[in-house]
Amino acid sequence: MQQYFQLLVSSIVLAMAFASMPGCANRAAALAREPADPEAVAEAIAARDYSRRPYASSRAYRHYARGMLDMHEGRLSRAKKEFREALLYDRDSSEIRIALLEVQLRLGKKDLAVDGAEALLADEPEHRRALLLVALFASDNDGAEVAIQALKGLLDAPSSSLEEYFRLSRLLVEQAGDTNALVIYRVLGWVNSLEASHWTQLASMLETNGLKDEARVAWENAIEANDGDAALYDSLGRICDALKDVECSIKAYRRAIALGGATSGSYLELASVLGRAGKLEEALRVEEEAIALLDPAQPETWVEAAFAAVARRDLDTALARFDEALRLDSEHMQAHLFRGFVLGELGRWQKAADSMRSVCRNTAYYFEARLHLGIFLSRAGEHEEALEILSALLGGRPEDPRLVVALASAEARAGKEEEGIGRLMEGIAASPGEALLVEEVSRIHTRAGRLEEAADALAEAVRTRPLDARLRYSYGVALEELGRTEEAVAEMKKILEFRPEHVDALNFIGYVWADRGVRLEEAENLLRLALSLDRNNAYVMDSLGWVLFRKGKIDEALPKLERAASLLDDQPIVWEHLGDAYAAAGRSEDAKASYEKALELLDELERDQDEPRDRLLEKLKELE
């Protein structure tokens, strides 16, 4: 008894000490308050809706919680066992039932899971997770109609759960067909109250799945929710560029820069778009700002700036920037490699080969460097070394069509034309209709003036692969070279039957009609369609400018022809078109400069160009 008394005293002393501690007075006071109003307590208890409790007992919840943890950590069999235990204590809990169904689905017992989901829907027709489960199962098994019906059930009963929006949208994206595209638009309209971060997630998901138009809508909604985020404008600029909406892209990148949070990448992307839009002065200014934003003392800065110049086809500027990168780091292999590519584009074959020799010391780029070293040496006339390099590469990759083409082309240039064609024909026999091989056979025949043989090789390939648009297009071009223009146009029309948005075929037909001065209205329609599909295609710009010139719309033709000449500054015919437009506009000096540029380019071509040269000389004479 004395022990109990001592324990009681100790407890009292401890309680008094606790109450006297700082911050504990409030606790002591709280204990001394009067009890709550019994009627208020009874009223609160009566107001609670016990019918909505998800779990009937603590045991049911304990097993459910363990099961969820097991499922999260991948212990699916244990999770299934826990959910079944939970159902023993609460058979009517929809949460436990759907959890068991989901783990069954993950274990591959799809039929069992879907049967259970349908039974749950019979009890609760609007149960969202059950509807999602049925839709997921149906989509995995090509049951598009069943999936759509389940999804419609979700759409008819909107939820505040953000996760469901994304799960639903992802499922819709994975489904094919116009029906699902319409549902996606409904989802986009349905979640118009989302925050910017949510729209960003949705936009990224849509963009990843190739739904660019829908992604653009989502990025625009993200910006509407947070107009001050430069990164969102960056993303909008990127997707607009992918959609070939140049003005939208420029506007978005400019806004990102104006907000002050743009990266150097934003400047370079803007410069690239500006360059392709013909706004060259502004493009250069923006690139200089990007270089200043980066570190001009670092070679990577100049490499990135060089890539931006390449994207807008300013090869001389690109070359100068690669040279600056190499001045800062003479062993920068990426700069050497792409400097070589640019030199090759400019036709400076020996210098291009020298760049590739520098790269060959680096194993990361060894194959590409050796391949292009061989190609450039062949073009520079160093045939023996070129053939040795390309033969060695082909020995390691005997079925690589790029190598077969490179070696055959080098053999033809070295005077071993029959060997080259023989090699290509062996490749074609092993892989009938291989476009790279067939086109090279045609090119070799064309360079030798054997236009009939060139067309015959392509005709045989087209018979083998009638739906190969690339081969059929090349065949049409070969027919045009032979003067069989009507047949060429017929081939292009065949392409449009199975590829109605084939830009090159649309351009070919439109240009032929424009050049002949026939069916000009149809030609303009075809070319405007082609330009809407590829807004930066310089060949289409030239063709459209030419058809407008033919229709007498000189003022409308000139900007397009000027833009085409700025992008295709190595094409004599483009400069001749521009000269004709200047002459028609009464701008004799500009016309003269354009004709002289065309003559200069003709002199650089390998093939005989007597006819166009005589035509240009006659036009220059008329201007005097």
Side-chain angles (χ1 to χ4, degrees), residues 421-469:
I421 291 178
R423 187 182 305 282
L424 291 166
M425 296 310 294
E426 287 177 11
I428 292 169
S431 180
E434 170 60 52
L436 283 174
L437 304 178
V438 175
E439 287 172 347
E440 186 58 30
V441 170
S442 175
R443 272 193 292 269
I444 291 174
H445 284 309
T446 300
R447 282 199 299 266
R450 298 188 297 269
L451 301 183
E452 288 285 356
E453 288 89 337
D456 289 344
L458 290 164
E460 180 60 33
V462 168
R463 280 192 287 272
T464 303
R465 297 186 180 184
L467 297 181
D468 188 320

Side-chain angles (χ1 to χ4, degrees), residues 268-291:
L268 292 172
E269 289 294 336
L270 173 58
S272 176
V273 178
L274 287 167
R276 284 181 271 122
K279 302 178 180 182
L280 301 182
E281 290 186 7
E282 188 178 356
L284 281 169
R285 179 181 59 75
V286 171
E287 283 176 10
E288 288 168 2
E289 291 179 26
I291 291 169

Side-chain angles (χ1 to χ4, degrees), residues 212-223:
K212 297 175 184 176
D213 288 309
E214 290 84 352
R216 175 177 174 170
V217 172
W219 286 122
E220 288 171 343
N221 277 280
I223 287 170

Side-chain angles (χ1 to χ4, degrees), residues 115-429:
D115 288 344
E118 290 175 345
L120 179 55
L121 288 171
D123 296 335
E124 299 182 39
E126 295 185 358
H127 196 288
R128 303 188 63 77
R129 289 172 68 191
L131 286 166
L132 272 171
L133 191 148
V134 170
L136 286 165
F137 173 79
S139 65
D140 285 344
N141 291 275
D142 298 325
E145 292 185 9
V146 175
I148 291 298
Q149 289 303 313
L151 295 172
K152 284 182 177 177
L154 287 168
L155 290 167
D156 292 338
S159 165
S160 60
S161 169
L162 179 63
E163 180 186 357
E164 287 187 0
Y165 289 133
F166 295 127
R167 291 181 69 185
L168 172 59
S169 300
R170 187 173 293 110
L171 176 59
L172 292 166
V173 165
E174 290 167 357
Q175 290 289 311
D178 293 339
T179 303
N180 296 310
L182 292 173
V183 178
I184 289 171
Y185 278 114
R186 285 188 65 186
V187 173
L188 289 172
W190 181 25
V191 293
N192 56 9
S193 62
L194 293 184
E195 297 177 3
S197 61
H198 302 151
W199 278 114
T200 299
Q201 293 177 57
L202 184 58
S204 298
M205 184 192 70
L206 292 166
E207 192 172 338
T208 299
N209 284 274
L211 293 165
K212 297 175 184 176
D213 288 309
E214 290 84 352
R216 175 177 174 170
V217 172
W219 286 122
E220 288 171 343
N221 277 280
I223 287 170
E224 187 176 339
N226 184 8
D227 185 53
D229 190 334
L232 296 179
Y233 280 100
D234 259 353
S235 298
L236 180 61
R238 182 187 65 248
I239 198 68
C240 286
D241 190 23
L243 290 167
K244 303 188 187 304
D245 189 341
V246 174
E247 291 306 317
C248 165
S249 183
I250 290 173
K251 183 178 179 181
Y253 282 128
R254 281 176 175 162
R255 177 61 177 158
I257 291 170
L259 287 170
T263 64
S264 59
S266 304
Y267 285 86
L268 292 172
E269 289 294 336
L270 173 58
S272 176
V273 178
L274 287 167
R276 284 181 271 122
K279 302 178 180 182
L280 301 182
E281 290 186 7
E282 188 178 356
L284 281 169
R285 179 181 59 75
V286 171
E287 283 176 10
E288 288 168 2
E289 291 179 26
I291 291 169
L293 190 64
L294 293 165
D295 184 354
Q298 294 299 318
E300 290 297 335
T301 297
W302 294 99
V303 170
E304 287 189 40
F307 286 150
V310 169
R312 56 183 172 80
R313 299 297 298 168
D314 186 351
L315 299 185
D316 289 323
T317 298
L319 185 60
R321 289 172 178 174
F322 282 128
D323 286 341
E324 180 63 19
L326 290 169
R327 187 187 67 78
L328 294 167
D329 179 3
S330 61
E331 297 299 312
H332 197 293
M333 290 301 110
Q334 191 181 40
H336 275 299
L337 181 72
F338 286 95
R339 178 178 182 273
F341 290 151
V342 169
L343 286 165
E345 283 282 311
L346 292 169
R348 303 174 192 174
W349 309 117
Q350 190 60 61
K351 289 185 176 181
D354 292 341
S355 274
M356 291 304 165
R357 286 189 199 278
S358 300
V359 184
C360 286
R361 300 193 301 269
N362 187 289
T363 55
Y365 299 113
Y366 181 82
F367 175 78
E368 286 298 324
R370 294 289 289 176
L371 170 59
H372 285 86
L373 174 58
I375 292 171
F376 295 152
L377 286 171
S378 172
R379 299 300 295 266
E382 297 187 25
H383 302 302
E384 186 175 346
E385 186 180 0
L387 292 174
E388 181 182 345
I389 291 170
L390 294 171
S391 296
L393 288 174
L394 186 62
R397 301 187 183 186
E399 296 181 359
D400 188 327
R402 283 202 308 161
L403 283 172
V404 174
V405 166
L407 180 54
S409 179
E411 286 171 331
R413 286 195 177 87
K416 300 178 180 180
E417 188 178 289
E418 290 186 9
E419 291 180 35
I421 291 178
R423 187 182 305 282
L424 291 166
M425 296 310 294
E426 287 177 11
I428 292 169

